[in-house]
Amino acid sequence: MEYKNVGRSGLQVSVAGLGCNNFGMRCDKDQSAAVVHKALELGINLFDTADIYGGGGKSEEFLGAALGDRRQNVAIATKFVGPMGEGPLNKGASRRYVMRAVEASLRRLGTDWIDLYQVHFPDPATPIEETQRALDDLVRQGKVRYIGCSNFAGWQVVEAQWTARTHQLTPFISAQNEYSLLDRRVERELVPACNAYGLGVLPYFPLASGFLSGKYRPGEPPPQGTRLALWGARGQALLSERNFAVLEKLTAFAQARERGVLDVAIGWLAGQAHVASVIAGATSPEQVDQNARAAQWRMTAEELAEVDKLTKKGEG
Ligand code: NAP
């Protein structure tokens, strides 16, 4: 397994990470543990979750239980902002809420510290300086090691890093945003901002929710039990003519190299200098195994450029 620094921080994470949003939803406690144990076996050391995943904090609970005493060998990334209860005081990025949210996450994860604590999405009701001061306090208290943002626009990253510099607060080291060969919008504004301000990118939906695994066929209903079958209309939207056209081109590229399309989807992201770790989600140990192998494919500069060309048009 290859390890990369997250942005300009000293935190080294596996280029294949594990997204844990299936835990508590698609995966029960035992299935979640099987997925986590396979990831550990493969050298994966970054586990991404959030307080809201799985409903009522189940993803954090299942992850913490599965890691057990191996927790000290991995980096846990979690998030806050999404609603964990009724009313305005049980969500968001205010100092009041952050201080409570971190305690609840620590308890569910069964740990004394969070390696990467991420603002799940911008909270328009809270000034960013208030959030950053609260997060800086958590770093100083030792409850949190590093902080990151998620779903921020490029200008919001710049605003946050300037606020940190101006007030000598802990800066963000990562930006987690939607990013895949089907959706490259982050490359316009966010990636340049991350490069300039030292943040590593953690792409979410790297497989476009499984579409880029190649298991969906044009004109056929999604296979039973898959995410897109369970998502109904939302899943159907991904099964578009444009997406199948891109998939066909990527499949031909992969086959010419005796690879699968999933290898291209993950391998290409892993080959981008600004990407720290590809945190694909998985519902079985077999999927984790495939995804970890794909992240270790080092494409040549020519291959990266060819995939770039195949997917650049009509981005987003
Ligand atoms: P994803 O990685 O694009 O897709 C994951 C899904 O693809 C799996 O649940 C599985 O679905 C299918 N899959 C994975 N590996 C496969 C394989 N080898 N072969 C066939 N199918 C495979 O999407 P994601 O898991 O939602 O996103 C990754 C992580 O990003 C999440 O787990 C979460 O930690 C994070 N995330 C963050 C945000 C945010 O707002 N910050 C939003 C979304 C996600 P099935 O087996 O069910 O078909």
Side-chain angles (χ1 to χ4, degrees), residues 219-239:
E220 289 178 23
Q224 265 198 346
T226 58
R227 185 186 282 191
L228 298 194
L230 296 166
W231 272 6
R234 186 178 168 197
Q236 205 57 41
L238 273 168
L239 303 171

Side-chain angles (χ1 to χ4, degrees), residues 23 27-39 62 65-67:
F23 300 175
C27 301
D28 64 17
K29 195 171 181 181
D30 289 345
Q31 273 173 293
S32 303
V35 168
V36 169
H37 295 156
K38 176 50 101 178
F62 290 0
L67 287 172

Side-chain angles (χ1 to χ4, degrees), residues 109-179:
L109 286 161
T111 182
D112 296 333
W113 82 96
I114 289 163
D115 297 281
L116 179 62
Y117 201 35
Q118 304 159 103
V119 183
H120 205 154
F121 38 87
D123 173 12
T126 306
I128 191 69
E129 187 185 329
E130 176 177 333
T131 308
Q132 288 181 264
R133 284 192 185 278
L135 291 173
D136 187 64
D137 287 344
L138 293 181
V139 171
R140 286 168 203 276
Q141 288 167 15
K143 293 182 181 178
V144 165
R145 299 292 187 257
Y146 297 93
I147 59 172
C149 61
S150 172
N151 296 303
F152 274 38
W155 70 266
Q156 288 169 314
V157 165
V158 175
E159 184 192 34
Q161 298 307 75
W162 269 93
T163 306
R165 266 188 208 176
T166 310
H167 300 288
Q168 273 148 37
L169 303 172
T170 307
F172 289 137
I173 64 159
S174 62
Q176 187 178 128
N177 285 62
E178 181 163 3
Y179 188 21

Side-chain angles (χ1 to χ4, degrees), residues 6 14 17 21 47 49 58 68 93 96 112 117-118 140 148 156 172 175 177 206 211 215 261 279 292 294 303:
V6 181
S14 47
N21 67 356
F47 294 81
T49 182
K58 281 219 173 56
R96 182 189 189 279
D112 296 333
Y117 201 35
Q118 304 159 103
R140 286 168 203 276
Q156 288 169 314
F172 289 137
N177 285 62
F211 182 85
K215 66 186 173 188
V261 68
I279 51 164
E303 286 173 331

Side-chain angles (χ1 to χ4, degrees), residues 47-84:
F47 294 81
D48 181 76
T49 182
D51 50 6
I52 55 172
Y53 293 168
K58 281 219 173 56
S59 172
E60 288 184 331
E61 268 175 41
F62 290 0
L63 174 62
L67 287 172
D69 57 13
R70 284 184 275 182
R71 185 269 171 270
Q72 59 191 322
N73 303 326
V74 307
I76 297 179
T78 191
K79 318 183 190 80
F80 66 96
V81 171
M84 291 297 286

